[in-house]
Amino acid sequence: MSEERFNRLEKHMEQLIQMVADNNKITKELSTRMDGLENEFTDEKRLNQQRDATSQQRHKELLKEMRSQNVDIDYLRDQVSKHDMDIHNIKAKLAL
């Protein structure tokens, strides 16, 4: 093999080694970024689950409060109706 040919092969090998090194560097950077994105996604997922649990708890509390208020409203309507009847009866007696 001639010296010139050997030198060309050696330069090609150096280029190939440099290309592989660059590729490995880029691959490592991308892997690190992907790990970061996966961690961010996991954190966001956990936060969303916490928000959902809090939201569901608040929803249950609001429903309970609304039911309680509806019971109170029904009681007050019943009392108003009774008072209206009492007033009507009193007026009827006074009109006699």
Side-chain angles (χ1 to χ4, degrees):
M1 188 180 304
S2 72
E3 186 71 24
E4 184 180 315
R5 190 171 180 196
F6 181 73
N7 286 339
R8 277 190 295 144
L9 282 174
E10 189 175 10
K11 286 184 182 182
H12 285 302
M13 287 295 287
E14 287 175 8
Q15 284 179 332
L16 182 59
I17 290 169
Q18 184 60 45
M19 289 169 63
V20 169
D22 291 343
N23 189 37
N24 286 344
K25 181 180 174 184
I26 291 170
T27 301
K28 185 172 182 168
E29 288 175 4
L30 289 175
S31 178
T32 302
R33 288 182 191 174
M34 285 301 293
D35 289 344
L37 288 174
E38 287 175 0
N39 289 337
E40 286 179 32
F41 177 76
T42 301
D43 291 344
E44 281 297 318
K45 184 177 177 182
R46 182 181 47 78
L47 285 173
N48 281 338
Q49 288 171 340
Q50 288 174 346
R51 288 178 190 134
D52 184 51
T54 302
S55 176
Q56 287 182 7
Q57 182 62 32
R58 286 180 184 163
H59 181 73
K60 287 178 183 177
E61 290 171 4
L62 287 173
L63 284 176
K64 183 178 177 182
E65 183 65 27
M66 285 179 59
R67 288 183 187 119
S68 175
Q69 288 177 354
N70 284 339
V71 168
D72 291 345
I73 289 170
D74 287 343
Y75 172 77
L76 292 173
R77 283 183 180 152
D78 186 46
Q79 290 299 312
V80 167
S81 177
K82 286 180 183 177
H83 291 147
D84 283 347
M85 285 297 288
D86 289 343
I87 290 170
H88 177 73
N89 289 337
I90 291 172
K91 283 182 179 180
K93 287 180 183 178
L94 289 175
L96 291 174

